[in-house]
Amino acid sequence: MPGQKPIKVALLGCGTVGTEVVRLLTDQAADLTARVGAPVELAGIAVRKPNKHREVPAALLTTDADALVESDVDVVVEVVGGIEPARTWLVKALAAGKSVVTANKALLAEHSGELFQAADASGADLYFEAAVAGAIPLLRPLRESLAGDRITRVMGIVNGTTNFILSGMDSTGASYAETLEEATRLGYAEADPTADVDGYDAASKAAILASLAFHSRVTAADVHREGIASVSAADIAAAKALGRTVKLLAICERVTGAADEQAGAGNGAGESISVRVHPAMIPRTHPLASVHGAFNAVFVEADAAGEMMFYGQGAGGAPTASAVVGDLVAVARNRVVSGRGPRESAYAALPVRPMGQAPTRYHISLDVADRPGVLSQVAAVFAEHDVSIAAVRQEGRVDDASLVIVTHAATDAALRSTVDKIGGLPAVREVVSVMRVEGEE
Ligand SMILES: NC(=O)C1=CN([C@@H]2O[C@H](COP(=O)(O)OP(=O)(O)OC[C@H]3O[C@@H](n4cnc5c(N)ncnc54)[C@H](O)[C@@H]3O)[C@@H](O)[C@H]2O)C=CC1
Ligand SMILES: N[C@@H](CC=O)C(=O)O
Ligand code: NA
């Protein structure tokens, strides 16, 4: 490409991901030039403390991110994280016609409308493959490859830190604190790991996935969220005893039917969506059960394509940088040919169903008095709430018994009321574990 004007890039942030972005841009410079059709040139790297970045060229470092965004760059790559000042930088860059590549799921899950509007107004590109499931190509397949199909469900493990913790607790019996410390050391956890363990990170990713899958604008506030802090060793043991394991799942489903309209949740065409993040027991034979450590995996179901599974590294500096640089190549190539990538597609505007109306299944483990009639008392409470029982297992001990009940699908509200009432029965000594069950009929 002799004589071809370089594509100038501003890099905002140089931490776990940013350092690897610089390394890939340096190591792969010749190949990237060939793929883009022009050299890709780092014009500057905005950091907070330049003396802490000996691994990148000192001449490129600046503490003035605003000036770098306003300079004559073509693309702004943001790997700082958080809402502000990232939001202001990116809106400014897009408004000025600069393309943006970001890994910032928290920002996209709250402000994608504003960012896409700014991109549309100026004709710039907004790409964010790294924001969900790190290295795994997932958003581009949803936005582009499956654009001709009708997606019905997206379900997966999208947070590496919590999967690392849950797999560790399941396989080695390591403590929660030990595994979290290790995940932070390996660069998987967010700057504030409560975003991971409390499910905020997965909820942001679920919002992004649901928006793309269902052509609707879903924000993090629309996502029902439960983290893993309440998952106990007893839950893991109860799961194991029944051939199951516990995973933090992000589930985005298209829900159809007259029930939606009756509940005032539909869109007039009988469709709504359910978007939720919570721990769930899945069978050990389910493909998601074999996803260990910080790996991510996402199942996508579509009418014509059927079932697909995307699997790979969802966190860590180098894997995430792979997705960032892949997006950078795409937006740079678009600029070379004066083209544009796909825009936001939120035309379907499907409403999000409240969690209370979402159909789920429960696994309930109880410590009960071992005397005649207890099982029928418990069963009566299920019947009263119209919750159907799929399986019961009872193991007697000297003067008490362990009772495990698995339900059929029922609304979350009905299941919660059932568990509350059962906990108050005199014959029930303790509700040992309550967890949703996914991945089985
Ligand atoms: N680490 C991972 O595995 C993944 C991270 N991400 C996302 O990538 C982004 C970056 O993550 P990490 O690299 O892990 O974070 P990090 O905390 O390692 O790096 C962020 C960098 O931004 C710098 N920074 C903060 N405020 C700044 C400011 N005002 N001006 C200039 N620089 C500033 C910090 O000093 C730090 O070096 C986040 O949005 C994160 O959610 C996405 C997927 C995976
Ligand atoms: N903290 C996140 C990093 C990637 O998004 C995770 O643990 O998955
Ligand atoms: Na990805």
Side-chain angles (χ1 to χ4, degrees), residues 129 132-134 136:
E129 181 60 76
V132 184
I136 309 171

Side-chain angles (χ1 to χ4, degrees), residues 231-251:
V231 177
S232 62
D235 292 323
I236 306 260
K240 264 187 164 172
L242 285 174
R244 299 191 177 103
T245 187
V246 177
K247 296 289 185 192
L248 182 72
L249 298 181
I251 301 170

Side-chain angles (χ1 to χ4, degrees), residues 225-413:
R225 175 192 55 78
E226 292 166 36
I228 63 162
S230 62
V231 177
S232 62
D235 292 323
I236 306 260
K240 264 187 164 172
L242 285 174
R244 299 191 177 103
T245 187
V246 177
K247 296 289 185 192
L248 182 72
L249 298 181
I251 301 170
C252 315
E253 284 174 323
R254 192 187 283 272
V255 190
T256 49
D260 277 327
E261 300 313 318
Q262 279 157 17
N267 63 343
E271 276 190 335
S272 62
I273 49 184
S274 166
V275 191
R276 53 191 207 264
V277 167
H278 54 68
M281 287 186 188
I282 56 171
R284 290 186 101 81
T285 48
H286 191 282
L288 288 177
S290 58
V291 177
H292 299 299
F295 276 78
N296 284 188
V298 179
F299 256 98
V300 178
E301 293 170 34
D303 278 352
E307 293 181 351
M308 287 150 283
M309 179 151 149
F310 298 81
Y311 171 82
Q313 296 198 66
T320 308
S322 165
V324 170
V325 177
D327 277 355
L328 176 54
V329 168
V331 303
R333 205 169 39 205
N334 288 345
R335 291 186 88 88
V336 168
V337 299
S338 303
R340 250 202 100 179
R343 292 146 200 241
E344 183 189 32
S345 173
Y347 73 91
L350 293 178
V352 180
R353 206 178 225 237
M355 183 61 186
Q357 293 168 21
T360 55
R361 301 181 65 197
Y362 269 24
H363 166 290
I364 302 153
S365 176
L366 306 171
D367 215 346
V368 298
D370 193 6
R371 58 170 184 256
V374 173
L375 183 55
S376 62
Q377 280 175 37
V378 170
V381 178
F382 280 89
E384 201 182 298
H385 291 87
D386 211 13
V387 176
S388 156
I389 294 175
V392 179
R393 200 178 74 154
Q394 181 168 5
E395 270 173 27
R397 294 194 290 263
V398 178
D399 58 356
D400 59 8
S402 141
L403 192 60
V404 172
I405 296 161
V406 181
T407 72
H408 284 299
T411 63
D412 199 71

